mmCIF file of all heavy atoms in Angstrom:
data_model
loop_
_atom_site.group_PDB
_atom_site.id
_atom_site.type_symbol
_atom_site.label_atom_id
_atom_site.label_comp_id
_atom_site.label_asym_id
_atom_site.label_seq_id
_atom_site.Cartn_x
_atom_site.Cartn_y
_atom_site.Cartn_z
ATOM 1 N N GLN A 718 0.750 -1.135 -0.094
ATOM 2 C CA GLN A 718 -0.016 -0.025 0.006
ATOM 3 C C GLN A 718 0.914 1.233 0.022
ATOM 4 O O GLN A 718 1.909 1.368 0.757
ATOM 5 C CB GLN A 718 -0.865 -0.040 1.245
ATOM 6 C CG GLN A 718 -1.983 1.088 1.199
ATOM 7 C CD GLN A 718 -2.954 0.949 2.350
ATOM 8 O OE1 GLN A 718 -2.681 0.291 3.294
ATOM 9 N NE2 GLN A 718 -4.082 1.738 2.199
ATOM 10 N N LEU A 719 0.535 2.193 -0.811
ATOM 11 C CA LEU A 719 1.206 3.478 -0.861
ATOM 12 C C LEU A 719 0.118 4.546 -0.663
ATOM 13 O O LEU A 719 -0.954 4.499 -1.316
ATOM 14 C CB LEU A 719 1.830 3.686 -2.192
ATOM 15 C CG LEU A 719 2.826 2.801 -2.776
ATOM 16 C CD1 LEU A 719 3.355 3.071 -4.110
ATOM 17 C CD2 LEU A 719 4.102 2.691 -1.769
ATOM 18 N N VAL A 720 0.368 5.417 0.258
ATOM 19 C CA VAL A 720 -0.564 6.435 0.668
ATOM 20 C C VAL A 720 0.056 7.835 0.603
ATOM 21 O O VAL A 720 0.928 8.108 1.322
ATOM 22 C CB VAL A 720 -1.236 6.218 2.047
ATOM 23 C CG1 VAL A 720 -2.192 7.399 2.406
ATOM 24 C CG2 VAL A 720 -1.800 4.823 2.181
ATOM 25 N N GLU A 721 -0.482 8.733 -0.280
ATOM 26 C CA GLU A 721 0.028 10.048 -0.369
ATOM 27 C C GLU A 721 -0.753 10.964 0.543
ATOM 28 O O GLU A 721 -1.906 10.775 0.835
ATOM 29 C CB GLU A 721 -0.198 10.546 -1.816
ATOM 30 C CG GLU A 721 0.495 9.744 -2.901
ATOM 31 C CD GLU A 721 -0.423 8.723 -3.628
ATOM 32 O OE1 GLU A 721 -1.476 8.327 -2.918
ATOM 33 O OE2 GLU A 721 -0.188 8.383 -4.703
ATOM 34 N N SER A 722 -0.090 12.030 0.966
ATOM 35 C CA SER A 722 -0.633 13.025 1.772
ATOM 36 C C SER A 722 0.067 14.353 1.544
ATOM 37 O O SER A 722 1.148 14.324 1.013
ATOM 38 C CB SER A 722 -0.644 12.631 3.335
ATOM 39 O OG SER A 722 0.574 12.624 3.717
ATOM 40 N N GLY A 723 -0.545 15.467 2.018
ATOM 41 C CA GLY A 723 0.149 16.769 2.006
ATOM 42 C C GLY A 723 -0.337 17.707 0.915
ATOM 43 O O GLY A 723 0.115 18.836 0.833
ATOM 44 N N GLY A 724 -1.248 17.237 -0.027
ATOM 45 C CA GLY A 724 -1.731 18.017 -1.087
ATOM 46 C C GLY A 724 -2.678 19.174 -0.464
ATOM 47 O O GLY A 724 -3.058 19.176 0.776
ATOM 48 N N GLY A 725 -2.982 20.155 -1.267
ATOM 49 C CA GLY A 725 -3.846 21.188 -0.789
ATOM 50 C C GLY A 725 -3.861 22.246 -1.745
ATOM 51 O O GLY A 725 -3.386 22.196 -2.957
ATOM 52 N N LEU A 726 -4.261 23.465 -1.393
ATOM 53 C CA LEU A 726 -4.292 24.661 -2.146
ATOM 54 C C LEU A 726 -3.252 25.701 -1.662
ATOM 55 O O LEU A 726 -3.061 25.857 -0.483
ATOM 56 C CB LEU A 726 -5.689 25.358 -2.077
ATOM 57 C CG LEU A 726 -6.918 24.677 -2.711
ATOM 58 C CD1 LEU A 726 -7.339 23.426 -2.006
ATOM 59 C CD2 LEU A 726 -8.053 25.606 -2.875
ATOM 60 N N THR A 727 -2.593 26.334 -2.660
ATOM 61 C CA THR A 727 -1.635 27.359 -2.357
ATOM 62 C C THR A 727 -1.708 28.283 -3.496
ATOM 63 O O THR A 727 -2.238 28.098 -4.604
ATOM 64 C CB THR A 727 -0.237 26.799 -2.165
ATOM 65 O OG1 THR A 727 0.536 27.836 -1.473
ATOM 66 C CG2 THR A 727 0.328 26.255 -3.398
ATOM 67 N N GLN A 728 -1.026 29.435 -3.239
ATOM 68 C CA GLN A 728 -0.985 30.537 -4.319
ATOM 69 C C GLN A 728 0.292 30.253 -5.016
ATOM 70 O O GLN A 728 1.222 29.600 -4.591
ATOM 71 C CB GLN A 728 -0.986 31.975 -3.616
ATOM 72 C CG GLN A 728 -2.191 32.319 -3.003
ATOM 73 C CD GLN A 728 -2.209 33.680 -2.443
ATOM 74 O OE1 GLN A 728 -1.109 34.203 -2.242
ATOM 75 N NE2 GLN A 728 -3.447 34.296 -2.253
ATOM 76 N N ALA A 729 0.362 30.930 -6.294
ATOM 77 C CA ALA A 729 1.555 30.791 -7.002
ATOM 78 C C ALA A 729 2.828 31.401 -6.315
ATOM 79 O O ALA A 729 2.648 32.440 -5.571
ATOM 80 C CB ALA A 729 1.398 31.610 -8.321
ATOM 81 N N GLY A 730 3.847 30.607 -6.297
ATOM 82 C CA GLY A 730 4.951 30.940 -5.652
ATOM 83 C C GLY A 730 5.017 30.315 -4.287
ATOM 84 O O GLY A 730 6.167 30.365 -3.552
ATOM 85 N N GLY A 731 4.065 29.540 -3.802
ATOM 86 C CA GLY A 731 4.028 28.995 -2.595
ATOM 87 C C GLY A 731 4.721 27.542 -2.593
ATOM 88 O O GLY A 731 5.251 27.152 -3.585
ATOM 89 N N SER A 732 4.688 26.869 -1.425
ATOM 90 C CA SER A 732 5.229 25.701 -1.257
ATOM 91 C C SER A 732 4.306 24.564 -0.634
ATOM 92 O O SER A 732 3.409 24.899 0.139
ATOM 93 C CB SER A 732 6.564 25.733 -0.376
ATOM 94 O OG SER A 732 7.424 26.596 -0.909
ATOM 95 N N LEU A 733 4.535 23.394 -1.107
ATOM 96 C CA LEU A 733 3.892 22.210 -0.355
ATOM 97 C C LEU A 733 4.818 21.118 -0.303
ATOM 98 O O LEU A 733 5.716 20.957 -1.070
ATOM 99 C CB LEU A 733 2.655 21.769 -1.207
ATOM 100 C CG LEU A 733 1.415 22.722 -1.226
ATOM 101 C CD1 LEU A 733 0.421 22.200 -2.282
ATOM 102 C CD2 LEU A 733 0.779 22.792 0.156
ATOM 103 N N ARG A 734 4.612 20.238 0.777
ATOM 104 C CA ARG A 734 5.430 19.037 0.954
ATOM 105 C C ARG A 734 4.520 17.817 0.911
ATOM 106 O O ARG A 734 3.634 17.643 1.693
ATOM 107 C CB ARG A 734 6.209 19.038 2.257
ATOM 108 C CG ARG A 734 7.210 17.943 2.434
ATOM 109 C CD ARG A 734 7.595 17.767 3.861
ATOM 110 N NE ARG A 734 8.774 17.008 4.033
ATOM 111 C CZ ARG A 734 9.138 16.396 5.132
ATOM 112 N NH1 ARG A 734 8.322 16.491 6.257
ATOM 113 N NH2 ARG A 734 10.268 15.749 5.298
ATOM 114 N N LEU A 735 4.715 16.963 -0.109
ATOM 115 C CA LEU A 735 3.919 15.834 -0.206
ATOM 116 C C LEU A 735 4.617 14.548 0.440
ATOM 117 O O LEU A 735 5.882 14.568 0.339
ATOM 118 C CB LEU A 735 3.617 15.428 -1.664
ATOM 119 C CG LEU A 735 2.999 16.529 -2.550
ATOM 120 C CD1 LEU A 735 2.715 15.972 -3.926
ATOM 121 C CD2 LEU A 735 1.762 17.045 -1.856
ATOM 122 N N SER A 736 3.978 13.668 1.011
ATOM 123 C CA SER A 736 4.517 12.495 1.633
ATOM 124 C C SER A 736 3.904 11.210 0.980
ATOM 125 O O SER A 736 2.676 11.267 0.545
ATOM 126 C CB SER A 736 4.328 12.528 3.140
ATOM 127 O OG SER A 736 4.917 13.528 3.830
ATOM 128 N N CYS A 737 4.745 10.154 0.792
ATOM 129 C CA CYS A 737 4.291 8.812 0.325
ATOM 130 C C CYS A 737 4.682 7.860 1.408
ATOM 131 O O CYS A 737 5.855 7.619 1.543
ATOM 132 C CB CYS A 737 4.818 8.600 -0.989
ATOM 133 S SG CYS A 737 4.488 7.013 -1.616
ATOM 134 N N ALA A 738 3.683 7.361 2.093
ATOM 135 C CA ALA A 738 3.933 6.250 3.166
ATOM 136 C C ALA A 738 3.792 4.980 2.478
ATOM 137 O O ALA A 738 2.610 4.636 1.909
ATOM 138 C CB ALA A 738 3.164 6.559 4.387
ATOM 139 N N ALA A 739 4.662 4.022 2.684
ATOM 140 C CA ALA A 739 4.647 2.665 2.081
ATOM 141 C C ALA A 739 4.445 1.686 3.210
ATOM 142 O O ALA A 739 5.041 1.826 4.309
ATOM 143 C CB ALA A 739 5.793 2.437 1.195
ATOM 144 N N SER A 740 3.806 0.605 2.887
ATOM 145 C CA SER A 740 3.731 -0.560 3.726
ATOM 146 C C SER A 740 3.569 -1.806 2.948
ATOM 147 O O SER A 740 3.154 -1.816 1.783
ATOM 148 C CB SER A 740 2.460 -0.473 4.714
ATOM 149 O OG SER A 740 1.262 -0.450 4.083
ATOM 150 N N GLY A 741 3.960 -2.977 3.520
ATOM 151 C CA GLY A 741 3.909 -4.303 2.832
ATOM 152 C C GLY A 741 4.952 -4.639 1.867
ATOM 153 O O GLY A 741 4.698 -5.573 1.048
ATOM 154 N N LEU A 742 5.996 -3.881 1.855
ATOM 155 C CA LEU A 742 7.111 -4.140 1.055
ATOM 156 C C LEU A 742 8.460 -3.810 1.652
ATOM 157 O O LEU A 742 8.490 -2.974 2.627
ATOM 158 C CB LEU A 742 7.005 -3.451 -0.361
ATOM 159 C CG LEU A 742 7.284 -1.959 -0.499
ATOM 160 C CD1 LEU A 742 7.204 -1.579 -1.928
ATOM 161 C CD2 LEU A 742 6.266 -1.214 0.390
ATOM 162 N N THR A 743 9.569 -4.343 1.250
ATOM 163 C CA THR A 743 10.855 -3.868 1.647
ATOM 164 C C THR A 743 11.196 -2.681 0.938
ATOM 165 O O THR A 743 11.696 -2.574 -0.208
ATOM 166 C CB THR A 743 11.814 -5.031 1.277
ATOM 167 O OG1 THR A 743 11.488 -6.313 1.883
ATOM 168 C CG2 THR A 743 13.237 -4.625 1.877
ATOM 169 N N PHE A 744 10.925 -1.555 1.589
ATOM 170 C CA PHE A 744 10.840 -0.201 1.031
ATOM 171 C C PHE A 744 12.136 0.084 0.297
ATOM 172 O O PHE A 744 12.139 0.696 -0.811
ATOM 173 C CB PHE A 744 10.493 0.731 2.057
ATOM 174 C CG PHE A 744 10.208 2.166 1.543
ATOM 175 C CD1 PHE A 744 9.150 2.285 0.749
ATOM 176 C CD2 PHE A 744 11.041 3.250 1.852
ATOM 177 C CE1 PHE A 744 8.809 3.695 0.276
ATOM 178 C CE2 PHE A 744 10.882 4.522 1.313
ATOM 179 C CZ PHE A 744 9.674 4.683 0.594
ATOM 180 N N ARG A 745 13.285 -0.142 0.995
ATOM 181 C CA ARG A 745 14.566 0.423 0.430
ATOM 182 C C ARG A 745 15.022 -0.395 -0.882
ATOM 183 O O ARG A 745 15.879 0.089 -1.497
ATOM 184 C CB ARG A 745 15.618 0.162 1.534
ATOM 185 C CG ARG A 745 16.057 -1.342 1.787
ATOM 186 C CD ARG A 745 17.238 -1.291 2.748
ATOM 187 N NE ARG A 745 17.688 -2.716 2.903
ATOM 188 C CZ ARG A 745 18.540 -3.324 2.127
ATOM 189 N NH1 ARG A 745 19.084 -2.715 1.052
ATOM 190 N NH2 ARG A 745 18.934 -4.558 2.453
ATOM 191 N N SER A 746 14.246 -1.431 -1.209
ATOM 192 C CA SER A 746 14.600 -2.221 -2.417
ATOM 193 C C SER A 746 13.781 -1.559 -3.593
ATOM 194 O O SER A 746 14.028 -2.149 -4.750
ATOM 195 C CB SER A 746 14.140 -3.610 -2.239
ATOM 196 O OG SER A 746 14.885 -4.295 -1.277
ATOM 197 N N TYR A 747 13.044 -0.629 -3.492
ATOM 198 C CA TYR A 747 12.207 -0.095 -4.491
ATOM 199 C C TYR A 747 12.647 1.397 -4.844
ATOM 200 O O TYR A 747 12.991 2.176 -4.009
ATOM 201 C CB TYR A 747 10.718 -0.011 -4.035
ATOM 202 C CG TYR A 747 10.058 -1.277 -4.036
ATOM 203 C CD1 TYR A 747 10.253 -2.264 -2.943
ATOM 204 C CD2 TYR A 747 9.102 -1.613 -4.958
ATOM 205 C CE1 TYR A 747 9.720 -3.469 -2.980
ATOM 206 C CE2 TYR A 747 8.529 -2.822 -4.950
ATOM 207 C CZ TYR A 747 8.661 -3.697 -3.975
ATOM 208 O OH TYR A 747 8.120 -5.002 -3.951
ATOM 209 N N THR A 748 12.618 1.595 -6.195
ATOM 210 C CA THR A 748 12.659 2.914 -6.710
ATOM 211 C C THR A 748 11.292 3.552 -6.585
ATOM 212 O O THR A 748 10.244 2.875 -6.870
ATOM 213 C CB THR A 748 13.015 2.957 -8.190
ATOM 214 O OG1 THR A 748 14.349 2.509 -8.273
ATOM 215 C CG2 THR A 748 12.943 4.302 -8.742
ATOM 216 N N VAL A 749 11.139 4.702 -6.108
ATOM 217 C CA VAL A 749 9.860 5.397 -5.858
ATOM 218 C C VAL A 749 9.895 6.737 -6.721
ATOM 219 O O VAL A 749 10.762 7.466 -6.707
ATOM 220 C CB VAL A 749 9.702 5.726 -4.313
ATOM 221 C CG1 VAL A 749 8.424 6.539 -4.200
ATOM 222 C CG2 VAL A 749 9.695 4.509 -3.486
ATOM 223 N N GLY A 750 8.697 6.925 -7.390
ATOM 224 C CA GLY A 750 8.498 7.998 -8.220
ATOM 225 C C GLY A 750 7.280 8.745 -7.841
ATOM 226 O O GLY A 750 6.369 8.190 -7.287
#
């Protein structure tokens, strides 16, 4: 399972930080995009 979070609304020039939390796999063995 991969679950994204951190999206939202912002104005031009603003910043956001997205997160992708993974479970059920050996995470370090995967390339993530």
Side-chain angles (χ1 to χ4, degrees):
Q718 187 174 18
L719 303 175
V720 179
E721 303 95 333
S722 62
L726 285 75
T727 190
Q728 296 181 339
S732 299
L733 289 171
R734 188 197 196 202
L735 306 184
S736 298
C737 172
S740 63
L742 76 172
T743 304
F744 188 69
R745 71 176 184 85
S746 298
Y747 285 76
T748 294
V749 177

